[in-house]
Amino acid sequence: MSKPLLLIDTDPGVDDALAILMAHEHARVSALTIAAGNVGLAHTVRNARTLVDLLGADTLVYPGCQTPLVRMPEEDAVHVHGTDGLGDVGFSEPKAVVADEHAAQAILRITREQPDLTLVALGPLTNLALAVRLDPTLPQRVKRLVIMGGAVTGLGNTGKIPAEFNIGFDPEAAHVVFEAFPMFDLVDWEVVLRHAFNDGEFNAWLAAGDQRATFFEKVFGTARAFNAKRGRRGVIAADALAMAVAIDPSMVTRVEERHVAVELDGRLTRGATVVDWTARLGQPANARIVMAVDQDRFGAMVRAALGA
Ligand code: BDR
Ligand code: CA
């Protein structure tokens, strides 16, 4: 398999970190464009640079929007990822440079220069929404868009029960993107829960891996403890699953094509992804909802990215 070319919009984030390790192992990474989300933009930009340093890569890091498009977020994910977004390990100031171009403009420029790339969205969709508003032809010149976001039957992970974090953080941005792209791959929170790794197996990868595994073991503590406290089983890696689908779509074993819209107003449901499961509204499908992937192939991809 030739290595795909990826442009990654991300809010690192512990599971974003694992996804970025995977991308640099299994794909060519055009750039990292950075969103606010799990933690504030200053932290997410710095975390991306820490990862670039760890990898010894020359991937450019483009800072994006500091806030959602319209309303201020109701919550962040400090309680999951730590105050700094990478488990509060206390890494020193990274050396990787911050590019002098806004993420939304970088997305537009890079997709013009490299028309064959896959866009991978691992955070709130603010930068992508801004980019598509600046240039509505963006969807025509990307090969695929893979989004980690949503909860397709309402099993969300935020204070608004049916909303998943990335969509719930900036529902208006998600609405813009879902309407603008004629088709995208959606890796939602529910498929993520169905593809958790066995704890023992994952621990063995960490123990047998290289400096990437050592790094990940350090940053993973807070998120792991949070998930265990919530009664979630196994190692849950949302952005890693989306990244696996972006790198190798042939590992998807079941998909449902449906129309998906974003709730913007609901008192209890703002940020929910509403799926027209029975095609009652007569709108064309805009999402390939990933329902299942080959777990062994997903595991092999993560394992290799940890050097194990
Ligand atoms: C998503 O929210 C973030 O906390 C994770 O990084 C992931 O992108 C999961 O709902
Ligand atoms: Ca993320």
Side-chain angles (χ1 to χ4, degrees), residues 11 16 38 122-123 239:
D11 63 334
D16 300 78
N38 283 321
L122 305 177
D239 294 337

Side-chain angles (χ1 to χ4, degrees), residues 27-238:
R28 292 169 295 141
V29 181
S30 177
L32 298 174
T33 57
I34 310 300
N38 283 321
V39 290
L41 189 73
H43 281 307
T44 54
V45 169
R46 182 182 159 129
N47 294 345
R49 294 166 58 223
T50 298
L51 281 154
V52 171
D53 278 6
L54 169 78
L55 288 159
D58 55 6
T59 313
L60 286 175
V61 173
Y62 295 88
C65 301
Q66 298 197 15
T67 63
L69 288 186
V70 180
R71 289 204 220 164
M72 288 304 108
E74 292 180 25
E75 55 188 279
D76 59 21
V78 162
H79 52 297
V80 185
H81 300 261
T83 334
D84 70 357
L86 280 184
D88 293 323
V89 173
F91 295 112
S92 51
E93 180 64 25
K95 294 192 176 62
V97 294
V98 182
D100 186 20
E101 185 178 23
H102 191 280
Q105 279 159 334
I107 290 168
L108 293 177
R109 177 181 55 75
I110 294 168
T111 52
R112 272 190 210 103
E113 292 167 359
Q114 300 170 328
D116 198 33
L117 57 72
T118 295
L119 264 176
V120 194
L122 305 177
L125 293 165
T126 321
N127 295 330
L128 245 62
L130 185 58
V132 88
R133 281 292 194 247
L134 284 168
D135 179 358
T137 67
L138 170 66
Q140 294 160 26
R141 54 174 191 272
V142 298
K143 192 167 153 191
R144 291 169 68 211
L145 166 63
V146 179
I147 296 174
M148 191 284 126
V152 296
T153 70
L155 183 63
N157 59 1
T158 67
K160 293 270 194 294
I161 300 296
E164 177 279 333
F165 181 78
N166 288 340
I167 308 300
F169 188 90
D170 192 348
E172 281 77 15
H175 168 75
V176 168
V177 171
F178 282 28
E179 296 247 302
F181 281 77
M183 186 57 76
F184 52 88
D185 291 1
L186 190 66
V187 176
D188 85 317
W189 177 247
E190 296 169 18
V191 74
V192 165
L193 293 179
R194 292 195 293 275
H195 291 82
F197 295 112
N198 171 280
D199 280 293
E201 181 185 32
F202 197 82
N203 289 343
W205 299 345
L206 292 180
D210 59 22
Q211 53 160 11
R212 293 167 291 180
T214 311
F215 171 92
F216 194 73
E217 187 164 28
K218 279 191 207 153
V219 304
F220 186 38
T222 324
R224 195 169 206 179
F226 174 82
N227 283 330
K229 213 166 99 192
R230 275 283 161 97
R232 293 174 185 154
R233 293 178 44 196
V235 173
I236 297 160

